[in-house]
Structure formats: C-alpha cells, structure tokens
Amino acid sequence: MIQRKEYLEQLKSFKDKQLIKVVTGIRRCGKSTLFELYCDYLRGSGIEDVQIISINLEDPEFHDLKDYMQLYDYVQERLQPDKMNYVFLDEVQNVPEFQKACDGLFIKKNVDLYITGSNAYLLSGELATLLSGRYVEIKMLPLSFKEYVTAQGDTQDLQRKYTNYITNSSFPYALELSAKKEIEMYLDGIYTSVVLKDIVSRKKISDVPGLRNILRFMFDNIGNPVSATKIANSLTAGGNKISVNTVEVYLQALIDSFILYKAERYDIKGKQYLATGGKYYAVDIGLRYYLLGTKKADRGHILENIVYLELLRRGYEVHVGKAGNAEVDFIAIGEEGEEYYQVAYSVMDDSVLERELKPLDSISDHNPKYLLTMDNEPLTSHNGIKQIHILDWLMK
C-alpha cells in the first residue's frame, strides 16, 4: 500500500481526542486504505484486534445494516467495556440517518470514532447540527506528485513521471495498471460511480447527458473564469439546451462530489471575497483526458490545476487573487499568513516573464511571492519574487 504519510499523521495527532475524525474525498482517492494504514499503526502501538471495529458500508458483508439503529447495535455489541474502542465507518452516508448512530457512539467515553464519505452531504444538514464543534474534517485528495513518484521507488526522470502523472491519473490504483485501456476502464469506473452514486441518485437528476456535458465543459475550461450563464449559453449554442438554474444545480452537485473544485475570487487589497470571477479545477487530470480525449490541452492551465490541488494538500485556503486591475493566479492563506503564486509553463520569452511578474509586483505587502514554471532553471529571484522549477516545488 502507498503510504499516505501526511493524512496518516493527521489521524495520529487526533487519536483519542474527543472529536469524530471525518475523512472526506472523491471515491477511490484512498480513504479506505488510509483506515487500513491507521489500523496497522494502532496494532503496532499495542491496540488489540478486538478493540478495532471496522465496517465498510459498501461491502456486501454489511448489507444487512440498513438503518442507523442496526448500525448502532452492531457496533454496540462488539464494544470492549473496559478498553478504548476504535470504530471505523467507511462510506457511512449509505446508511439512512447515519448521523444518529454517529452521535450515539460519539457520546460513549470508550469510543474513538472515525468515518469517511464521498460527498459533501456528509457534513451538511443534521450531522453538522448534531456534531457542531465535535468533529474534525480531513480532506483527502488523490496522490500528490511527490507521493506518485515516491511510490515508484526512485526520483529519476521527473519530467517523464510528470507526463505519466497527468495522463494516467493520480488515483492510487492507477499505479498498478500499465496498459492504456486498463487505465481508461478504471477511470470509467470512477466516473460512473461518482456520477451515478453520488450525484444522479442523490440529487434525483434525470438529465444524465446534460450533467456529463457540463462536466466536460468545466474540464475543458479549467483555470478560466466562467459563470453559470456562460456555461448555459455555450452548451445551448452547441445544441444542448440547458437553463442557467439547472447549470447552477449541477455545478454544485459536481463540487459536492469532489470531482470539481472552485477557487473563489479574492480582492487582495480590499481583503474581501468577490461574487464573480471564480475558477474551477478538476480533481484529477487523468479524468479530464478520459472525458475529453487526447485533444490538445492548455499546458499552462493543467499546470495551474496541479498547483491548486497541491496548495490544498498543504493545508492552504486557496483563492484566485485580484490586485487592482491585475490577477494573481493564487492567493494561498495559511497559518503564517498569505502567499502569492503565479503559474506559467514557460517564461523564457522576456515578454511572457514581464507579463507574469507584473501582477505580483503590483502587490505592495511583503508576503512571499512565487513564480512557478516548467523552465528547468536554477532558483531565481526577481525583485524578491522567487522563480522555482515546478517539479522541484512539487517534490518539496
């Protein structure tokens, strides 16, 4: 199994804390494997098997657990009365009113509770109300480039590995597959399960082709500012009539299923969020190639997508930055303040370099500023702006 060290360390840090540990993320990103790794850690630290209760609610073995009381009773019967019990509920949203079972288990002093879910509905509605202030969310993504490279055992030929990373997929199991057809079938399975299980059935969507058209449009426009009106007009002009309201509903459903992420626009000088100009990014570039085929893609926007997801992995709150009339690709807000990032495939042309530096130069504060490119040049500074080879930055 690929060691997901950053996520594993987060679970370890919350062990035995009076908080429900909620791991969220798109299907097949590695949530179940993370639980397996953590259970191995628990056993290695002296926890006995009888203290670990692990239930995957998509496993036919547990198909009889059809409501929250059956789930609660199943766990309750297996609790060790005089020891701490570590309870893992995988894909818990498959059980109606699961939040009541979670609340009942949480209040027990000898239960340390961990749950996963593949859509944002897990932390909405009644669960959020019941457990307000009593849970911590660990947001999981498919493999980072560093994890992808490390899993292969060497750090040679990073450029070739980057190409494989974006074309073959960052989903963990894709590393076990070599044939292009196998990878396509695997990605088709992910796409189908996300669309049918997490969107269509939950949202009662009848226009599945319309949903697919919107996702294809969004994947084709990663890194571009788009609005629901623009999407509706573009699809309608192409012969796929759809209303603005439907686009808004479908967009939110795609975001809630973690197949699509939105970066809101943020005014750096005014310190406020803006209602328009947000950008969308794909959870995995391999999925983008699967849906759109091998037509030529904007390498710069794909690179931007990779940087956006990496900043999320590193714990930043990430927005598109507005600095006066200029736009900064990302403002990353972390524990130590704000950082600014411009992303460009190449700035070897002086005019391109000048264009990419201008938005960063327009910011008057002294927060760190970075220009990330694919140019394999030594670390360079432009009036305090650090230009870094992006593969080096991804491997940090």
Short mmCIF file of all heavy atoms in Angstrom, two decimals, residues 238-287:
data_model
loop_
_atom_site.label_atom_id
_atom_site.label_comp_id
_atom_site.label_asym_id
_atom_site.label_seq_id
_atom_site.Cartn_x
_atom_site.Cartn_y
_atom_site.Cartn_z
N GLY A 238 -24.31 25.09 -28.69
CA GLY A 238 -23.79 23.85 -29.27
C GLY A 238 -24.86 22.79 -29.48
O GLY A 238 -24.55 21.64 -29.81
N GLY A 239 -26.12 23.15 -29.24
CA GLY A 239 -27.21 22.21 -29.49
C GLY A 239 -27.66 21.44 -28.26
O GLY A 239 -28.48 20.53 -28.37
N ASN A 240 -27.13 21.80 -27.06
CA ASN A 240 -27.52 21.12 -25.83
C ASN A 240 -28.20 22.12 -24.90
O ASN A 240 -27.60 22.66 -23.97
CB ASN A 240 -26.29 20.51 -25.14
CG ASN A 240 -25.58 19.50 -26.02
OD1 ASN A 240 -26.13 18.46 -26.35
ND2 ASN A 240 -24.35 19.81 -26.41
N LYS A 241 -29.46 22.40 -25.17
CA LYS A 241 -30.19 23.44 -24.44
C LYS A 241 -30.29 23.10 -22.95
O LYS A 241 -30.66 21.99 -22.57
CB LYS A 241 -31.59 23.61 -25.02
CG LYS A 241 -32.39 24.76 -24.41
CD LYS A 241 -33.69 24.98 -25.13
CE LYS A 241 -34.53 26.06 -24.46
NZ LYS A 241 -33.80 27.34 -24.36
N ILE A 242 -29.94 24.08 -22.13
CA ILE A 242 -29.99 23.89 -20.68
C ILE A 242 -30.17 25.24 -20.02
O ILE A 242 -29.68 26.27 -20.52
CB ILE A 242 -28.70 23.18 -20.19
CG1 ILE A 242 -28.86 22.68 -18.76
CG2 ILE A 242 -27.48 24.09 -20.32
CD1 ILE A 242 -27.77 21.70 -18.35
N SER A 243 -30.88 25.29 -18.90
CA SER A 243 -31.14 26.56 -18.23
C SER A 243 -30.02 26.92 -17.28
O SER A 243 -29.26 26.05 -16.82
CB SER A 243 -32.46 26.48 -17.45
OG SER A 243 -32.32 25.64 -16.32
N VAL A 244 -29.93 28.20 -16.96
CA VAL A 244 -28.92 28.68 -16.01
C VAL A 244 -29.13 28.04 -14.65
O VAL A 244 -28.17 27.63 -13.97
CB VAL A 244 -28.96 30.22 -15.91
CG1 VAL A 244 -28.03 30.71 -14.80
CG2 VAL A 244 -28.59 30.86 -17.23
N ASN A 245 -30.38 27.93 -14.22
CA ASN A 245 -30.69 27.34 -12.92
C ASN A 245 -30.22 25.89 -12.84
O ASN A 245 -29.64 25.46 -11.84
CB ASN A 245 -32.19 27.42 -12.64
CG ASN A 245 -32.55 26.84 -11.28
OD1 ASN A 245 -32.15 27.35 -10.25
ND2 ASN A 245 -33.28 25.72 -11.29
N THR A 246 -30.46 25.13 -13.92
CA THR A 246 -30.02 23.73 -13.96
C THR A 246 -28.50 23.64 -13.90
O THR A 246 -27.94 22.79 -13.20
CB THR A 246 -30.54 23.03 -15.23
OG1 THR A 246 -31.97 23.06 -15.22
CG2 THR A 246 -30.07 21.59 -15.30
N VAL A 247 -27.83 24.53 -14.61
CA VAL A 247 -26.36 24.56 -14.58
C VAL A 247 -25.87 24.79 -13.14
O VAL A 247 -24.95 24.12 -12.67
CB VAL A 247 -25.80 25.66 -15.51
CG1 VAL A 247 -24.30 25.85 -15.27
CG2 VAL A 247 -26.04 25.29 -16.96
N GLU A 248 -26.49 25.72 -12.45
CA GLU A 248 -26.08 26.03 -11.07
C GLU A 248 -26.25 24.81 -10.17
O GLU A 248 -25.38 24.51 -9.34
CB GLU A 248 -26.89 27.20 -10.54
CG GLU A 248 -26.54 28.54 -11.19
CD GLU A 248 -27.45 29.67 -10.77
OE1 GLU A 248 -28.54 29.38 -10.24
OE2 GLU A 248 -27.06 30.85 -10.98
N VAL A 249 -27.38 24.11 -10.32
CA VAL A 249 -27.63 22.91 -9.50
C VAL A 249 -26.61 21.83 -9.81
O VAL A 249 -26.04 21.21 -8.89
CB VAL A 249 -29.07 22.38 -9.75
CG1 VAL A 249 -29.26 21.02 -9.10
CG2 VAL A 249 -30.10 23.37 -9.23
N TYR A 250 -26.35 21.60 -11.09
CA TYR A 250 -25.41 20.55 -11.48
C TYR A 250 -23.99 20.88 -11.07
O TYR A 250 -23.22 20.01 -10.65
CB TYR A 250 -25.48 20.31 -13.00
CG TYR A 250 -26.74 19.60 -13.48
CD1 TYR A 250 -27.82 19.37 -12.61
CD2 TYR A 250 -26.86 19.17 -14.79
CE1 TYR A 250 -28.96 18.73 -13.04
CE2 TYR A 250 -28.01 18.52 -15.23
CZ TYR A 250 -29.06 18.31 -14.36
OH TYR A 250 -30.19 17.67 -14.79
N LEU A 251 -23.62 22.16 -11.19
CA LEU A 251 -22.27 22.58 -10.78
C LEU A 251 -22.05 22.30 -9.30
O LEU A 251 -21.00 21.78 -8.91
CB LEU A 251 -22.07 24.08 -11.05
CG LEU A 251 -21.42 24.52 -12.34
CD1 LEU A 251 -21.27 26.03 -12.35
CD2 LEU A 251 -20.07 23.85 -12.55
N GLN A 252 -23.03 22.67 -8.48
CA GLN A 252 -22.89 22.43 -7.04
C GLN A 252 -22.80 20.94 -6.74
O GLN A 252 -22.05 20.52 -5.85
CB GLN A 252 -24.05 23.07 -6.29
CG GLN A 252 -23.85 23.10 -4.77
CD GLN A 252 -22.59 23.83 -4.36
OE1 GLN A 252 -22.37 24.97 -4.76
NE2 GLN A 252 -21.74 23.17 -3.58
N ALA A 253 -23.57 20.14 -7.48
CA ALA A 253 -23.52 18.69 -7.27
C ALA A 253 -22.14 18.13 -7.63
O ALA A 253 -21.62 17.24 -6.94
CB ALA A 253 -24.59 18.01 -8.13
N LEU A 254 -21.51 18.65 -8.67
CA LEU A 254 -20.16 18.21 -9.06
C LEU A 254 -19.14 18.61 -8.00
O LEU A 254 -18.21 17.85 -7.70
CB LEU A 254 -19.79 18.81 -10.42
CG LEU A 254 -20.57 18.26 -11.62
CD1 LEU A 254 -20.37 19.14 -12.84
CD2 LEU A 254 -20.14 16.81 -11.92
N ILE A 255 -19.31 19.79 -7.43
CA ILE A 255 -18.41 20.24 -6.36
C ILE A 255 -18.61 19.39 -5.11
O ILE A 255 -17.65 18.96 -4.46
CB ILE A 255 -18.65 21.73 -6.05
CG1 ILE A 255 -18.20 22.60 -7.23
CG2 ILE A 255 -17.91 22.15 -4.78
CD1 ILE A 255 -18.62 24.05 -7.13
N ASP A 256 -19.88 19.11 -4.77
CA ASP A 256 -20.17 18.33 -3.57
C ASP A 256 -19.64 16.90 -3.67
O ASP A 256 -19.39 16.25 -2.64
CB ASP A 256 -21.68 18.29 -3.32
CG ASP A 256 -22.23 19.62 -2.82
OD1 ASP A 256 -21.42 20.45 -2.34
OD2 ASP A 256 -23.45 19.84 -2.91
N SER A 257 -19.48 16.39 -4.89
CA SER A 257 -18.96 15.03 -5.07
C SER A 257 -17.44 15.01 -5.16
O SER A 257 -16.84 13.95 -5.35
CB SER A 257 -19.56 14.39 -6.33
OG SER A 257 -19.05 15.04 -7.49
N PHE A 258 -16.81 16.18 -5.04
CA PHE A 258 -15.35 16.33 -5.04
C PHE A 258 -14.71 16.00 -6.39
O PHE A 258 -13.49 15.76 -6.45
CB PHE A 258 -14.69 15.48 -3.94
CG PHE A 258 -15.23 15.73 -2.57
CD1 PHE A 258 -15.90 14.74 -1.87
CD2 PHE A 258 -15.08 16.97 -1.96
CE1 PHE A 258 -16.41 14.97 -0.60
CE2 PHE A 258 -15.58 17.22 -0.69
CZ PHE A 258 -16.25 16.22 -0.01
N ILE A 259 -15.47 16.00 -7.46
CA ILE A 259 -14.88 15.78 -8.78
C ILE A 259 -14.43 17.11 -9.37
O ILE A 259 -13.61 17.19 -10.27
CB ILE A 259 -15.86 15.06 -9.74
CG1 ILE A 259 -15.11 14.44 -10.92
CG2 ILE A 259 -16.96 15.98 -10.23
CD1 ILE A 259 -15.95 13.51 -11.77
N LEU A 260 -14.98 18.19 -8.80
CA LEU A 260 -14.69 19.54 -9.26
C LEU A 260 -14.47 20.44 -8.04
O LEU A 260 -15.13 20.26 -7.01
CB LEU A 260 -15.89 20.06 -10.07
CG LEU A 260 -15.67 21.19 -11.09
CD1 LEU A 260 -14.74 20.73 -12.20
CD2 LEU A 260 -17.02 21.63 -11.67
N TYR A 261 -13.51 21.36 -8.15
CA TYR A 261 -13.22 22.29 -7.06
C TYR A 261 -13.33 23.72 -7.58
O TYR A 261 -12.95 24.01 -8.72
CB TYR A 261 -11.81 22.07 -6.50
CG TYR A 261 -11.70 20.84 -5.64
CD1 TYR A 261 -11.62 19.57 -6.20
CD2 TYR A 261 -11.69 20.94 -4.24
CE1 TYR A 261 -11.53 18.43 -5.39
CE2 TYR A 261 -11.60 19.82 -3.44
CZ TYR A 261 -11.52 18.57 -4.02
OH TYR A 261 -11.43 17.46 -3.22
N LYS A 262 -13.83 24.60 -6.73
CA LYS A 262 -13.95 26.01 -7.12
C LYS A 262 -13.05 26.88 -6.27
O LYS A 262 -13.06 26.79 -5.04
CB LYS A 262 -15.40 26.49 -7.00
CG LYS A 262 -15.59 27.93 -7.47
CD LYS A 262 -17.03 28.40 -7.36
CE LYS A 262 -17.17 29.83 -7.89
NZ LYS A 262 -18.56 30.34 -7.75
N ALA A 263 -12.29 27.74 -6.93
CA ALA A 263 -11.47 28.74 -6.24
C ALA A 263 -12.18 30.09 -6.37
O ALA A 263 -12.34 30.61 -7.48
CB ALA A 263 -10.08 28.82 -6.86
N GLU A 264 -12.66 30.62 -5.25
CA GLU A 264 -13.34 31.91 -5.27
C GLU A 264 -12.34 33.04 -5.53
O GLU A 264 -11.14 32.90 -5.31
CB GLU A 264 -14.05 32.16 -3.94
CG GLU A 264 -15.07 31.10 -3.55
CD GLU A 264 -16.36 31.21 -4.35
OE1 GLU A 264 -16.46 32.13 -5.19
OE2 GLU A 264 -17.25 30.36 -4.12
N ARG A 265 -12.86 34.15 -6.00
CA ARG A 265 -12.01 35.31 -6.28
C ARG A 265 -11.91 36.17 -5.03
O ARG A 265 -12.89 36.37 -4.31
CB ARG A 265 -12.63 36.11 -7.42
CG ARG A 265 -11.66 37.01 -8.16
CD ARG A 265 -12.15 37.21 -9.59
NE ARG A 265 -11.42 38.26 -10.27
CZ ARG A 265 -11.95 39.43 -10.62
NH1 ARG A 265 -13.22 39.68 -10.33
NH2 ARG A 265 -11.25 40.33 -11.25
N TYR A 266 -10.71 36.69 -4.77
CA TYR A 266 -10.44 37.42 -3.53
C TYR A 266 -9.68 38.70 -3.85
O TYR A 266 -8.66 38.68 -4.55
CB TYR A 266 -9.61 36.54 -2.60
CG TYR A 266 -9.34 37.12 -1.23
CD1 TYR A 266 -10.30 37.06 -0.22
CD2 TYR A 266 -8.13 37.73 -0.93
CE1 TYR A 266 -10.07 37.58 1.04
CE2 TYR A 266 -7.87 38.25 0.33
CZ TYR A 266 -8.84 38.17 1.31
OH TYR A 266 -8.60 38.69 2.56
N ASP A 267 -10.19 39.82 -3.35
CA ASP A 267 -9.54 41.12 -3.55
C ASP A 267 -8.43 41.28 -2.52
O ASP A 267 -8.70 41.42 -1.32
CB ASP A 267 -10.58 42.24 -3.41
CG ASP A 267 -10.01 43.61 -3.76
OD1 ASP A 267 -8.78 43.80 -3.65
OD2 ASP A 267 -10.79 44.50 -4.13
N ILE A 268 -7.19 41.23 -2.99
CA ILE A 268 -6.04 41.26 -2.08
C ILE A 268 -5.97 42.59 -1.32
O ILE A 268 -5.71 42.63 -0.12
CB ILE A 268 -4.73 41.01 -2.87
CG1 ILE A 268 -4.75 39.58 -3.45
CG2 ILE A 268 -3.51 41.21 -1.97
CD1 ILE A 268 -3.64 39.32 -4.44
N LYS A 269 -6.21 43.69 -2.03
CA LYS A 269 -6.09 45.00 -1.39
C LYS A 269 -7.30 45.29 -0.50
O LYS A 269 -7.17 45.84 0.59
CB LYS A 269 -5.93 46.08 -2.46
CG LYS A 269 -4.62 45.95 -3.24
CD LYS A 269 -4.45 47.05 -4.27
CE LYS A 269 -3.11 46.89 -5.00
NZ LYS A 269 -2.92 47.94 -6.04
N GLY A 270 -8.48 44.92 -0.95
CA GLY A 270 -9.68 45.19 -0.18
C GLY A 270 -9.99 44.15 0.88
O GLY A 270 -10.89 44.32 1.70
N LYS A 271 -9.24 43.02 0.85
CA LYS A 271 -9.43 41.93 1.81
C LYS A 271 -10.89 41.47 1.85
O LYS A 271 -11.49 41.36 2.92
CB LYS A 271 -8.98 42.34 3.22
CG LYS A 271 -7.54 42.77 3.33
CD LYS A 271 -6.57 41.66 3.01
CE LYS A 271 -5.12 42.09 3.17
NZ LYS A 271 -4.16 41.05 2.76
N GLN A 272 -11.44 41.19 0.67
CA GLN A 272 -12.82 40.72 0.64
C GLN A 272 -13.03 39.77 -0.54
O GLN A 272 -12.32 39.84 -1.54
CB GLN A 272 -13.79 41.90 0.53
CG GLN A 272 -13.62 42.72 -0.74
CD GLN A 272 -14.58 43.90 -0.79
OE1 GLN A 272 -15.52 43.96 -0.02
NE2 GLN A 272 -14.33 44.85 -1.69
N TYR A 273 -14.02 38.87 -0.38
CA TYR A 273 -14.35 37.94 -1.43
C TYR A 273 -15.22 38.63 -2.47
O TYR A 273 -16.03 39.50 -2.15
CB TYR A 273 -15.09 36.72 -0.86
CG TYR A 273 -14.23 35.91 0.08
CD1 TYR A 273 -14.33 36.07 1.46
CD2 TYR A 273 -13.29 35.00 -0.42
CE1 TYR A 273 -13.52 35.36 2.33
CE2 TYR A 273 -12.49 34.28 0.44
CZ TYR A 273 -12.60 34.45 1.80
OH TYR A 273 -11.79 33.74 2.65
N LEU A 274 -15.06 38.22 -3.72
CA LEU A 274 -15.81 38.81 -4.82
C LEU A 274 -16.80 37.80 -5.36
O LEU A 274 -16.54 36.59 -5.39
CB LEU A 274 -14.85 39.26 -5.92
CG LEU A 274 -13.77 40.27 -5.47
CD1 LEU A 274 -12.77 40.53 -6.58
CD2 LEU A 274 -14.43 41.59 -5.03
N ALA A 275 -17.95 38.29 -5.79
CA ALA A 275 -19.04 37.40 -6.20
C ALA A 275 -18.80 36.74 -7.56
O ALA A 275 -19.38 35.70 -7.86
CB ALA A 275 -20.35 38.18 -6.23
N THR A 276 -17.98 37.36 -8.39
CA THR A 276 -17.76 36.83 -9.75
C THR A 276 -16.28 36.56 -10.00
O THR A 276 -15.43 37.03 -9.26
CB THR A 276 -18.28 37.83 -10.79
OG1 THR A 276 -17.55 39.07 -10.64
CG2 THR A 276 -19.76 38.08 -10.62
N GLY A 277 -16.02 35.80 -11.06
CA GLY A 277 -14.64 35.59 -11.49
C GLY A 277 -13.96 34.37 -10.90
O GLY A 277 -12.75 34.21 -11.05
N GLY A 278 -14.72 33.49 -10.22
CA GLY A 278 -14.12 32.28 -9.69
C GLY A 278 -13.69 31.32 -10.80
O GLY A 278 -14.15 31.42 -11.94
N LYS A 279 -12.78 30.42 -10.45
CA LYS A 279 -12.29 29.43 -11.42
C LYS A 279 -12.51 28.03 -10.87
O LYS A 279 -12.61 27.83 -9.66
CB LYS A 279 -10.80 29.65 -11.70
CG LYS A 279 -10.48 30.99 -12.36
CD LYS A 279 -8.99 31.12 -12.65
CE LYS A 279 -8.67 32.44 -13.32
NZ LYS A 279 -7.21 32.57 -13.63
N TYR A 280 -12.57 27.07 -11.78
CA TYR A 280 -12.82 25.67 -11.42
C TYR A 280 -11.65 24.79 -11.83
O TYR A 280 -11.01 25.04 -12.87
CB TYR A 280 -14.11 25.18 -12.08
CG TYR A 280 -15.36 25.88 -11.61
CD1 TYR A 280 -15.72 27.13 -12.12
CD2 TYR A 280 -16.18 25.32 -10.63
CE1 TYR A 280 -16.87 27.79 -11.69
CE2 TYR A 280 -17.33 25.97 -10.19
CZ TYR A 280 -17.66 27.20 -10.73
OH TYR A 280 -18.80 27.83 -10.29
N TYR A 281 -11.42 23.75 -11.02
CA TYR A 281 -10.32 22.82 -11.29
C TYR A 281 -10.78 21.38 -11.11
O TYR A 281 -11.66 21.09 -10.29
CB TYR A 281 -9.14 23.14 -10.36
CG TYR A 281 -8.58 24.52 -10.59
CD1 TYR A 281 -8.98 25.60 -9.80
CD2 TYR A 281 -7.70 24.77 -11.63
CE1 TYR A 281 -8.51 26.88 -10.03
CE2 TYR A 281 -7.21 26.05 -11.88
CZ TYR A 281 -7.62 27.09 -11.08
OH TYR A 281 -7.15 28.36 -11.32
N ALA A 282 -10.15 20.49 -11.86
CA ALA A 282 -10.50 19.07 -11.83
C ALA A 282 -9.75 18.36 -10.73
O ALA A 282 -8.58 18.70 -10.44
CB ALA A 282 -10.16 18.42 -13.18
N VAL A 283 -10.38 17.37 -10.10
CA VAL A 283 -9.73 16.62 -9.03
C VAL A 283 -8.58 15.77 -9.56
O VAL A 283 -7.65 15.44 -8.83
CB VAL A 283 -10.75 15.72 -8.30
CG1 VAL A 283 -11.20 14.56 -9.19
CG2 VAL A 283 -10.18 15.20 -6.98
N ASP A 284 -8.61 15.46 -10.86
CA ASP A 284 -7.58 14.59 -11.45
C ASP A 284 -7.50 14.88 -12.95
O ASP A 284 -8.52 14.84 -13.64
CB ASP A 284 -7.94 13.13 -11.21
CG ASP A 284 -7.01 12.17 -11.93
OD1 ASP A 284 -5.80 12.17 -11.61
OD2 ASP A 284 -7.47 11.43 -12.83
N ILE A 285 -6.31 15.17 -13.43
CA ILE A 285 -6.15 15.49 -14.85
C ILE A 285 -6.35 14.24 -15.72
O ILE A 285 -6.80 14.33 -16.86
CB ILE A 285 -4.77 16.13 -15.11
CG1 ILE A 285 -4.65 17.46 -14.35
CG2 ILE A 285 -4.56 16.38 -16.60
CD1 ILE A 285 -5.68 18.50 -14.74
N GLY A 286 -6.04 13.07 -15.17
CA GLY A 286 -6.30 11.84 -15.91
C GLY A 286 -7.77 11.68 -16.25
O GLY A 286 -8.13 11.24 -17.35
N LEU A 287 -8.66 12.05 -15.31
CA LEU A 287 -10.09 12.02 -15.57
C LEU A 287 -10.45 13.00 -16.69
O LEU A 287 -11.33 12.73 -17.51
CB LEU A 287 -10.87 12.39 -14.31
CG LEU A 287 -11.36 11.26 -13.41
CD1 LEU A 287 -12.07 11.85 -12.20
CD2 LEU A 287 -12.29 10.30 -14.14
#
